[in-house]
Amino acid sequence: MIYSNYKLVEQGRLGTVKDYFFNPPQTIKEQASGLSTNTDQPEMAELANHSDPAIFLGEVNGRVYRYFPDDFDMSQIGDQDPDIDFRKETALDETTRLALREQATCRFKKQEARDQIDSEVGDVLDLLADMGQLVEFAIIAVSAMCADRAGIIPLTDSTAKDYGLRGAAVLKAVADGQLMLRSSFETPEKMITTIMPRYSLVQKIVRDRYINPLKELGL
């Protein structure tokens, strides 16, 4: 669950900052002050559950966003200054969500994933080679079906069966969970809101910075 609050900064020589502050109830503080630092003690293990669980996500339009585990008892964080408007976010709007994804915590998570892919799967050139083979298969299959549909190069029965068997093998692997596709854990809207706009921007840049300038030069 995500909570947010205003971060209020008062400028000046005696300026102050009002922000979220982990302030567990006094009873917890009193218990901690009477215990040693031996974490083998059951009491210390229990108090470890009262450490600040907040994960800083970022700041958007003056509000700071933090993630708390869904099973965390929010009463354990203690009272918050009413001026900061500390509140639970029931649903982030798309602009805020995308803005947070561009900040440190999400970027760190993305880099962790990239590092693991590089270590366990292969570097960028390895992945590019893999993508090339997948694209090659897709291009040939689609081209064969288009040529057959147009009556230009009819598919033989054996070729059609070969492509059918390949397609059936892929679908079976997906159904059995042996092949994971990005679309299996992201919504269809992802393609419209992220992938296609990026693709479209690339084409716009190619048109405006390369194709059209070369046409103007007569090339």
Side-chain angles (χ1 to χ4, degrees):
M1 51 190 174
I2 295 177
Y3 279 73
S4 74
N5 64 270
Y6 284 116
K7 183 177 181 180
L8 304 177
V9 180
E10 296 180 2
Q11 304 290 345
R13 186 172 61 88
L14 300 177
T16 60
V17 176
K18 292 184 178 181
D19 198 357
Y20 160 80
F21 178 67
F22 183 59
N23 183 34
Q26 189 63 33
T27 54
I28 297 177
K29 295 179 182 178
E30 292 172 347
Q31 291 174 26
S33 64
L35 295 173
S36 71
T37 57
N38 182 2
T39 56
D40 292 333
Q41 295 184 16
E43 295 87 348
M44 288 302 296
E46 174 63 23
L47 289 175
N49 296 328
H50 297 289
S51 60
D52 189 357
I55 297 176
F56 177 79
L57 298 179
E59 185 173 345
V60 180
N61 295 329
R63 294 195 72 88
V64 180
Y65 293 81
R66 293 176 176 83
Y67 169 81
F68 294 84
D70 290 338
D71 59 353
F72 181 72
D73 179 4
M74 292 301 292
S75 66
Q76 294 182 13
I77 68 170
D79 295 333
Q80 301 297 312
D81 192 316
D83 290 342
I84 68 172
D85 186 31
F86 183 77
R87 72 186 188 205
K88 182 178 181 179
E89 296 288 340
T90 55
L92 295 179
D93 61 77
E94 189 69 5
T95 300
T96 300
R97 189 180 68 83
L98 293 177
L100 291 174
R101 280 199 168 198
E102 293 300 318
Q103 299 190 42
T105 298
C106 290
R107 284 186 173 275
F108 177 76
K109 292 294 185 183
K110 178 183 283 189
Q111 190 58 49
E112 279 189 326
R114 287 175 171 173
D115 291 343
Q116 186 171 350
I117 290 171
D118 187 74
S119 173
E120 299 181 11
V121 182
D123 61 18
V124 173
L125 294 178
D126 292 329
L127 297 177
L128 185 61
D130 292 343
M131 292 303 103
Q133 293 184 57
L134 292 174
V135 170
E136 176 185 286
F137 169 71
I139 288 176
I140 294 299
V142 171
S143 297
M145 287 187 290
C146 289
D148 177 74
R149 180 78 175 181
I152 300 173
I153 304 179
L155 281 172
T156 65
D157 291 341
S158 61
T159 302
K161 183 177 180 180
D162 180 54
Y163 282 120
L165 290 172
R166 294 186 189 185
V170 171
L171 295 177
K172 184 177 185 304
V174 172
D176 293 344
Q178 298 174 355
L179 178 61
M180 178 175 289
L181 302 179
R182 189 71 173 258
S183 59
S184 67
F185 55 87
E186 283 191 331
T187 62
E189 290 79 9
K190 175 71 173 178
M191 179 176 290
I192 303 301
T193 61
T194 302
I195 299 175
M196 293 306 293
R198 283 207 303 251
Y199 176 81
S200 178
L201 180 57
V202 168
Q203 306 317 311
K204 182 178 184 300
I205 293 172
V206 169
R207 181 196 66 190
D208 296 344
R209 304 288 292 182
Y210 179 65
I211 300 298
N212 286 348
L214 263 58
K215 285 183 178 179
E216 293 177 2
L217 294 174
L219 299 176

